[in-house]
Every structure is written in structure tokens, then in C-alpha cells.
Amino acid sequence: MRRECRLGRKAVSGIMLVLLTIGMLSLAFNIQPVKAEPTTIIVPDDYPTIQEAINAAKEGDTIFVEAGTYYEHVVVSKTVSLVGENKSTTVVDGNWRGTTVTITANNVSVSGFTIQHGHLYGIHLVYSVASTIIDNVIIQNDVAGITFSYSNSNRIEDNIVASPGYSYLDHSYGNVIANNTINLSLWYSDNNMIINNEIAEDSQYGIGISNSNNNTVQNNTISTGYYSAISLWEAFYNKIAGNVILPYEGTSIEVYNSIHVDKSSGNIIRDNLINSNYTRNGVSLVGNSTNNTIVSNTIAANKRGVFLWQSSENIIYHNNIINNTEQVHDISWDNPSYSASINTWDDGYPSGGNYWSDYNGTDLYSGVYQNETGSDGIGDAPYIIDENSIDNYPLMNPWSPVTLTVIGPWAGTELDKFLLVLEAFEEKTGINVEYVAYRAGELALILPSMFEVHTTPGDLIFMWPWFIKEKGQEGHILEVTDLVNESDFSLGALDPVKVGDKLYGGAYTGKVKPGFWYRKSFFEAYGLTPPTTWDEFVALLNDIAAIPGVVNPIATGDGVGWPLSDIVEHFLITYGGPQLHKDLTAGTVSWNSSQVKAIFDDRIVPLLEAGYFSEPIEWTTALNLWWNGDYGLYFMGNWITEMVDDPDDLGVFTLPGAEGVVFGTAYFFIPTYTEHMDEAKQLFRFLASAEAQSIQVAQGGHIATNIYVPLDAYPPVDRTVAEAIEGVEVLPDLDDTIGGEFQVIFWDQLKLLWVYPASLDQVLDTIQAVAPKPPTPPFATATIDIDPDTLNLRSKGKWITAYIELPEGYNIEDINVSTIMLNDTVPAELRPVTIGDYDDDGIPDLMVKFERAEVISYIIANINVTKLFEERFMTISLTITGYLNDGIQFKGDDAVRIRMPTPRGLYKIFPI
């Protein structure tokens, strides 16, 4: 607490001497004065008036005003906090002159006052930024309660503002006016938020928006405005949503400008309740207002539900238009000299149009043309407004807004980024979205049992790609092949959620592992440049190794092993190609194969032996050491752009010649059990779009899979990454895709290799022992008929004939005849071969022939001949196998009776 005190003349002289001495010492020793801490000044204890306290205050001080009435005209010209003891009993009274409180400084706070009796304004902010006016009573000011002039980013909250005129913003941007009792107008003011207010003071407008754009008016309750509750005049791209407009004498919502053309457009008016205004209009579109969206409102019990005056090209759907004296009225009906308003009154099929309380049609049919049997909640006949205006798909029941549930893994700042994307979808469609966080591991336990009983916890779910493929094939996940165009995405981005030609999931943004990061300032300081060939890469490592203070050219991150696997994958993709990465993931190429071993022998091991890589270091520690100059390069994913002090100092390059990169894409799907399939499809398309992914990547740390996201959508450092991987194939993380025991052993063996490069053969053999095995090829069971049914082993004929039938879904013409074998021993003859229906069953057969002598020789060599002579007949099974042209194997058996006539001299021929 600051108190006044009086000092004698001698004391003052002594103090001056001390100050003079200190000043001289400060000059000599450069002593810096200590900055005074903010203090609290009490009115009237320290100063009798608020203005005197402000004049005496330092920047940052708090002025506490005790209860009482202060007849002042306060000017706040410095950053201070004014705090009243009690807003009911701490009164600043302007005595009906001028403005009661004027704020010209930034970051001013005013709370806890009654501010009254200004001849002009209660509070006037003039060129003020980031000030707060909270929990005040601002009443009985002649012109306006609160006004803003060229004041930005201020917050006005929890105030009661009641004055004859309405408060207003003039050329003011980015302000928040929330939870007040107030009425308000905006003039030439953009990007403001007017939310959760009660608008009740009697005035011409409840909320007036003039020549102002991109403002949000949301969740307000309005019961005033003798002309309009909400008025837009020459206003663009404003959002009017979720407001409750109660009965009064006036037009509920008016979108109005001068009589000239196309002056108001792009506004969204949705989810408002406009009720019981019997004397005037619900929603008015006048004066050539165009391209506005009127959606999901309830417009009930008004004189006219929707009033139109030469306003066309607006979109009006999903509204409940109920019991208005006239549901729609167009001024051209009264005066043909005015042009008719031609607007769109539905959202197409199956989304539908509006609910009209006076629609008396039936719902017996469905489909785009309402000619398919079965109801669909849409009237079979259109709702005719006039010859220019038709709702083609009137709703049979009142529209109820849909809320989709999205399940994803994000929390914290990552979630904040994603929610902006969902908000854009809500803004675009009027569909509400709720987000629920679950980790993929938790979903893997929950979803299968829910799917079995045909239910789902969400309408769109982010999940592992292998899960999406597996459950898609089982019918639990919607096939989405027709929802997106695969050519819109990076090469390979959708492969992890495809089965054959069928697509079961969408690709969102993700984290990419592009290559080696470096500090631009480090490279510039030592004259280094990113390499374009392998030799240049090795030369770069040599140059970095020679820099004093550098421990190793490359920092090796570790923790549980994944940073090492990322480095190895990058080498395998670059020098073995993307296909090798896919084959290793699938298990069709061995880790100890010559192709894989050569990459380790020729590329990785020599770098390890030369000491170019550090020993494994915990990865965040390695990041800090690299950033501080202990290492020149660091291989890591693009998430490090959010982990360094100066992202603009980051550069990155891939290994020269890389044609693919590992991309940790976020994949999502639609369960077949969603109750909101059409809306879920809309969200699916949106998340896959360049529009949504541009919003996500603009916030940093993400790379888009949609190739139509422009490079200028990225922050500079992410733009570098996007440019570096442009045109290359994106691949899923190998060890994450395989998972399980393989992942653990893979990481452990790479750590062994890093510290003991001579162990390469042992490392690769150990990895191969737990690697995926080649999948069993697809198999088709064929029907085989061998002719003759009874084979005389002493016959002299030339051929044995076989007829092959394939099961449904296979084409007999696809059989590769050169692969057909009998009991894996006798090949089919290439000629003659014919296709027909030899058994007249309607299924085509392939006829092939085998050399009779070879077949008989095989049989004699593989049966008990003695038993055959004793029993004279024997039944054996012959198996015919082969492959289709696409690699699918077929196999079938037929039972054949064999006999061996007994000639004279039997035992001479067949000794027993």
C-alpha cells in the first residue's frame, strides 16, 4: 500500500545527495535500476479520486476503489486495473456530462462498478487493445452504454448494459462480447464474437451489423428491436447461429442492404429459433441479398415465415417452417415490376428440403425421383412455393439436427488443431459433431464385440489400417470406394486400407519421416550443403566430422528402439525401392536375403564402422544435443518442428535417390452400423478433402495426403517437408504395421548392430526368425472328371483325359495350362486343349490331356502291385493342380478304378 509522507528540507537535501552519488556510481559501474513491482492503490485512502490514482499509478498497478459514489469523468491512459469493491455500491457518475469512463491505453481492466449518467457514453474504448470490461452495471447513459472506436481484441463479459441508445463497435476488430445484458450494433467492424448475451433493452435493433464481415452472433436471447432483432446491412460472411428470438413487434432476422445488386452474401443463418412474431416476418431477404445459407432454423407462428424482395441464389433447407400466416411471401407477387426471387429450397436427395406444416403429401416412395417402393421420410410430391421456387424434397417430419460422434486419438494441443477442422465442417454443413478420445489399443478391445451386436460407439472412427481392412472384409466397415478419388492422394497413401479394388477407409493428414534434419545456421556457418548423390552424402559426413566440437556427424536417437528402425527403413526404401519395403512388410522377402544384406553391407555398416552415427541416445536428449551443435544431422519425423526453439532454422533432406518415405497417416472409417450414414459420408468426404486438410496443416506439425493441398497452406518448415516428399510414394511404418514380437526384437537387434556392426549376420538371422511368413496364396477347389473312369494299366491308348471345372467367381479361361500337373508329377499336354460343357451342367469345363504311358508308370510306381493282382481292381485318387494367370492356385481330385489283366507268365513280368 502506498502512503503519502512529509519530509523536512534537510532530509530532502540528504536524499538528493545520496541519489546523486548513486547516479554517478551507476554511470561508472553500469548499475541497472531495479524495475518497480506493481502495487495496489486504494481510493479514497491513498488518493481521493479515481483520476488522481490513475495519474499517480505506474504501468501494471491495481487501483482498488472502495464503495461510494465518485462524480468523475475518468480517463484511463495507462495499463492499470480498476477494481470496484462492489458493483452495486461503487458508482462512477458522469453527472450527465461527457463520457463517464474513457479508455485509451491497452490491457486495461475494469470490473466491479456501476457506471452511469454519461451524457454521451458510459464507457468508451478509443484505440484500446486487449482490455477487459467485466462484471459491471452500465446504465442510464444518454447515447450508449459501451462504445468501441478503433479498438481491437477486447473482452466485454458479464456486464449489465442498459442505456437509451445501443452500444456499438466502430472500426473495431476481434472483440468478444459475451454473457452480457446488452444491445449492440457493429459498424465497419470484422471478426467479432457476440455470444451468450441477453438482448432486451428496447431499441430499433437488437443486434445490428452494418458493413461488417466475418462476425459471429451465436446463442443470444433476443426480445427487443422494434425494427429487427438481428439486422445485417451490406454485411458479408457473418454467422448467425443458435439464437432464440422471442416475440416482439418487429422483423426477427433481416438480411438487408441498399436496393443495389449483390451487396450482402455469404452469411450463414442456422439453428435459430424464430417464434411467435405474428405481426411481421420471420426471415427477410431483401435488396438483392444473395448466396446466403438459411439452414436448420425453426420459423414458427410469424406473419410471414420467409419474406423475399428481389433476392436470389440463396440456399434454404432443413428449416422447420410452421404455422406462419404465410409460409413464404415474395414481393413480386404484389408488384410484378419487381423481379421474382429464385432460390434453392432443398439440399438434394437424400438430405432433403424443409419441413412445411401445411404440406399434405404422402410418403409411399423413395429415391431421387420418388418412384421406388418404400418410404424415406421425404414427401413423394414437391412443395410448390411458386413457379420459380420449389422444394423438391419436403420433409415429412420436423427437422432435428444430427450430431455425429467422431472418435480419435488426439488430446491437448493436437486436439485443439483437429477441432478447428470439425468446426469448419459444422459451419459448412450445419451438422453438429461431438469428439470422443480413445486410443487405438482401447478401440481394438471395444469395437469387435460391439460390431458383433451391430452397434458402434461412433459414426466416424480413426483406427489402425490393418483393423480397417480386416473388419471391412467382415462387413462391419462401409466400403467407401465411391466416396473419394484415389488419384487425389499421394501415391500409396490409400493402399493400407484397400483390399483388391475395394477401399474401406480414408487417409487424413499424418506425420512423415522425411530424412535428415539440419540447422540452416549450422550449415551456413560451415559452408555445408545438402547432398544430391551418395558420394556427396559421405563427403558431407566427413566435413561435419572435421568440425571442432562435433561428437559425431549424425545423432542417433533411441528410447525403445523406434528411431533406429526409422533410419533403417529409410535406407531400405532408398536403395531397395518402395517395393522391397512392401515385400519385407508382407514377408515375401527375407531379411537375410542377398538384396537386403547388400544394403546393410554397402551402406549402413560402413557408416557405423566409420563412426558417423553416434551410439544410441534417448531421442529427446539427442534432439537437444543436436540442436546445440554436438551433432550435425538428426534423422527424425516432422514432429520435431514443434519441439525446437526456432523452426525456421530447420532444413531437411532425404537420402539421394529416395522414391518413397514412411508416412504415419491417420486413417478413418465409417461403421456400417451408424444411424447417420448420409451425414457420416459428408464428414468422410470433408476430412479427405483438400479443404479440411489445408486447415489442419496450416497449424503446423502435419503433412496432407491429399495432393491438392497447396504448398502455401503450410508453415514454412512444414512446407519444406512437403516439397521434399512431393511425388514420392508414401509407405506405412514397417515395424508398426507388423507389430507384436517382431517389433520388439527388430528394435533390440538394431541397437545391437549400432554398437557392434560385425554382428550383422546374426542380427539379420534373428530378425528373420520372427518376421512375417509369406501368406498362403489364394486357393480354389476345382471339380475334376478323369476319363476313363476305369483305367487298364496294360492298355495301349495315347491319352488320359481330364475335365476341369472352377467354382463360381473364377473364369475357366484364366487357367494357365502350362502349370497343370497330375499328382505333381505328370504335366498336362499343351495341345489339344478345348473349353466346353462336357457334362451339360451349364458350367464350362477345360479339357486337357496327359500322356497315358507316363500316368500308368506313375501309378505302378506308387501302388501295391501285389495287392492289385490279388484283388484284380483297385480304386485310387488322382489329383490335378494348376494356377490361374493371377497366381491363384486350383486343386481337385477324382477317384479312378484301375485294373491289371493277368497274362500268362505273370510272375516273370512282375516278380513278387
Side-chain angles (χ1 to χ4, degrees), residues 147-168:
T147 63
F148 297 67
S149 297
Y150 301 90
S151 294
N152 307 326
S153 303
N154 301 286
R155 298 185 68 86
I156 311 299
E157 296 183 7
D158 299 309
N159 301 283
I160 297 173
V161 184
S163 295
Y166 40 77
S167 299
Y168 65 84

Side-chain angles (χ1 to χ4, degrees), residues 422-456:
L422 296 183
E423 287 171 8
F425 173 76
E426 290 180 326
E427 187 98 4
K428 183 182 181 74
T429 64
I431 299 170
N432 300 319
V433 182
E434 174 187 64
Y435 177 87
V436 178
Y438 273 102
R439 294 187 180 276
E442 296 170 324
L443 290 173
L445 299 174
I446 296 170
L447 292 179
S449 57
M450 297 191 74
F451 286 170
E452 287 302 319
V453 294
H454 293 188
T455 188
T456 175

